[in-house]
Amino acid sequence: MKTTGTLIAAFGRQYEVKTDDGEILLCVPRGKKSVFACGDRVQVAGTGPGQGVIDKLIERTSLLYRSDAWRQKLIAANATQVVMVVATEPSFSDEFVSRCVCAAEDQHVKVLIVLNKTDLPAGLADARARLATFAALGYPVLELSALDDVEALRARLIGETSLLVGQSGMGKSTLTNALIPEARAETREISEVLDTGKHTTTFARLYPLPEGGGIIDSPGMQTFGLVHLSSEALEASFPEFRPYSGQCRFRDCRHDTEPGCALREAAEAGKINDHRLRQFLEFRAECESARRQAQGW
């Protein structure tokens, strides 16, 4: 018998699917290809008690993933919001935040930046200064301590399917457990099903929120490759560049050394952040180099 459901956990070639009737099935894809992500809507067929096979992927509204020259890592499907967790300590990478913002903008997904560990004041001023660029672009920055009170964040999650991303050590798991106390127990249970503990930090899981909506907790990561974005898509993912799109003297301007570049002129006039322009050029060079590597050039 076939039914539809939501993929609520992804680990290797095994997936946990919650059917629309509320049944939990441990599923594998039909065939050799595994192209599913946490949050996907799928059609499944039961193969035994608590077991199933995924027959069909239902069209996504968004897909967030990272990529380098050699592979793509699917993170979450059908998310409506990306919540980037950074902290006062250890120090976070503003480049990582920029990369996540690009991925979200490309998929037309909302962005929320959470500054965690505000109870540790030593790095607070520096963290605020590095997030000021993003706040100036209109991205909301929410300050909190996961150990004290997460209700302000909970209010921003209601009705959304939010992907939590962050570098290791930012306190993302602490936030998840504060929002959903049963999350820790569910992580242990799936590890027992898989007969291994190594998956506790390497798979994504979707948790429903009692108030409506849900959060997808993803593994901590140190890099976020954007090789899957074309140069045009990458440029479009910097929203402050959009007013200057098509305004350069040369139609094929690369915003590097060409005369009459609208982006460089805007940066020189202080209308866009020069650091962000340099990041774009670095990301584009990295993506183009990786694509050449992948093609064997």
Side-chain angles (χ1 to χ4, degrees), residues 69-143:
W70 313 115
R71 67 178 189 136
Q72 297 177 342
K73 176 68 174 177
L74 303 186
I75 304 173
N78 300 318
T80 61
Q81 177 172 248
V82 172
V83 178
M84 277 168 283
V85 182
V86 298
T88 57
E89 56 182 74
S91 180
F92 64 89
S93 165
D94 66 292
E95 178 187 308
F96 181 89
V97 177
S98 288
R99 290 171 179 271
C100 292
V101 168
C102 286
E105 287 283 354
D106 178 67
Q107 291 295 300
H108 309 291
V109 172
K110 291 188 288 187
V111 169
L112 172 64
I113 301 172
V114 173
L115 176 56
N116 190 23
K117 305 186 186 180
T118 54
D119 55 316
L120 303 176
L124 185 56
D126 177 66
R128 284 172 172 164
R130 285 189 289 129
L131 292 177
T133 298
F134 302 100
L137 291 171
Y139 297 115
V141 178
L142 178 63
E143 297 186 5

Side-chain angles (χ1 to χ4, degrees), residues 137-271:
L137 291 171
Y139 297 115
V141 178
L142 178 63
E143 297 186 5
L144 55 75
S145 168
L147 297 175
D148 296 333
D149 187 3
V150 297
E151 292 312 302
L153 175 58
R154 189 187 301 276
R156 305 293 291 267
L157 303 177
I158 296 172
E160 305 281 356
T161 300
S162 300
L163 169 65
L164 268 63
V165 297
Q167 296 171 279
S168 300
M170 297 294 121
K172 188 166 55 63
S173 295
T174 305
L175 272 177
T176 301
N177 291 326
L179 290 163
I180 306 171
E182 62 270 24
R184 192 185 305 275
E186 290 190 15
T187 298
R188 284 199 305 267
E189 287 170 10
I190 195 63
S191 296
E192 291 170 6
V193 168
L194 296 173
D195 194 29
T196 176
K198 69 179 182 179
H199 292 281
T200 56
T201 57
T202 58
F203 70 87
R205 174 175 278 282
L206 170 61
Y207 298 99
L209 289 167
E211 304 86 355
I215 61 174
I216 298 176
D217 186 24
S218 65
M221 57 189 81
Q222 296 305 113
T223 61
F224 201 109
L226 298 169
V227 175
H228 56 286
L229 297 187
S230 68
S231 296
E232 294 75 18
L234 183 62
E235 182 176 335
S237 70
F238 284 75
E240 68 270 40
F241 294 178
R242 293 170 192 164
Y244 308 100
S245 178
Q247 302 301 310
C248 298
R249 183 185 303 176
F250 300 106
R251 188 174 61 179
D252 59 350
C253 181
R254 289 178 57 80
H255 319 303
D256 193 358
T257 59
E258 298 89 344
C261 172
L263 279 184
R264 288 210 323 280
E265 290 174 357
E268 290 166 3
K271 295 177 181 178

